[in-house]
Structures are given as structure tokens and as C-alpha cells.
Amino acid sequence: MIDTDAQLAYGIFWAAYAFAFVVFFYMMKHLFRFLPFYGLRTLLLAALVALLLTPVESPEFADWWIPAWLYGGYELVLGEAEAAGRALFNLGIAALVMLLVWVLDLVRYRLVRR
């Protein structure tokens, strides 16, 4: 069983991670505005969201989620291909979902510009 201090640290981590992601996202959004094509800008932002916000469930603790890029990278370094594969599977699913969102956004952008 996880004690209260560990739950508090878990909550603080996710709050700090979310805040840092929002700051990083807006910094990258301002950096990408110099790219000439709307589709390229939004594709890079969608890839950023899929890469950094995809979670994977911890095998040691139920209902604890870890960023998939962090967990997958750590398990690859340790040589645990099966555990890293779970993280890469989650990243793949998130990439497909963000690809669908990106295509729908391009359709919306095209219809609004007419």
C-alpha cells in the first residue's frame, strides 16, 4: 500500500510536469510560428503532445501512471524490451489518435479558409 507522502509526491510530480509541459508547449508554439505551412506547424505540435503526454501504467503500483517516453527509455537502457514495448505501444496509439486529430484540424482549417 502506498502511504500519504508517496501519494502527495505523485500529485506534486504530475502538477509540476503539467505546468512544465504547458510552458514548453507555448515556447515551441512560438518557435514553430516561423515555419511557412500551417500543416507542418500543427503536425509538430501534435507530435510533441503525443510524445510528452502519453502515459503508461506502472507495473509495481496500481493506478500510478508514468510518462511513456520516460518509462520506455529507462526500460530500454535496462534491457527490458517487453516493458519498453508496452510504453512504445502506448506511444503508437497516442500517435495514431493525434494523427487523426491533426487531419481533422486540417479539414477544419481548409473549410474555414474558404
Side-chain angles (χ1 to χ4, degrees):
M1 190 69 189
I2 304 301
D3 62 350
T4 307
D5 289 338
Q7 286 287 5
L8 180 64
Y10 177 73
I12 290 171
F13 162 77
W14 276 110
Y17 190 80
F19 179 75
F21 174 77
V22 168
V23 170
F24 184 67
F25 182 82
Y26 281 109
M27 288 173 51
M28 295 305 289
K29 188 174 181 179
H30 286 293
L31 181 66
F32 292 157
R33 76 171 183 234
F34 297 113
L35 295 174
F37 301 111
Y38 175 80
L40 180 61
R41 288 191 303 263
T42 55
L43 177 64
L44 290 174
L45 290 173
L48 184 71
V49 168
L51 180 66
L52 295 179
L53 291 185
T54 303
V56 63
E57 190 171 11
S58 171
E60 283 101 30
F61 303 109
D63 297 328
W64 275 42
W65 295 86
I66 307 165
W69 67 268
L70 184 64
Y71 179 76
Y74 182 72
E75 294 298 329
L76 276 175
V77 167
L78 292 179
E80 299 289 331
E82 183 179 328
R86 282 190 22 223
L88 291 175
F89 178 76
N90 283 13
L91 283 170
I93 296 292
L96 288 175
V97 168
M98 286 309 296
L99 185 64
L100 175 65
V101 169
W102 177 69
V103 168
L104 292 173
D105 182 55
L106 286 180
V107 169
R108 179 207 55 87
Y109 181 75
R110 179 115 175 155
L111 290 175
V112 168
R113 291 216 33 189
R114 284 186 178 193

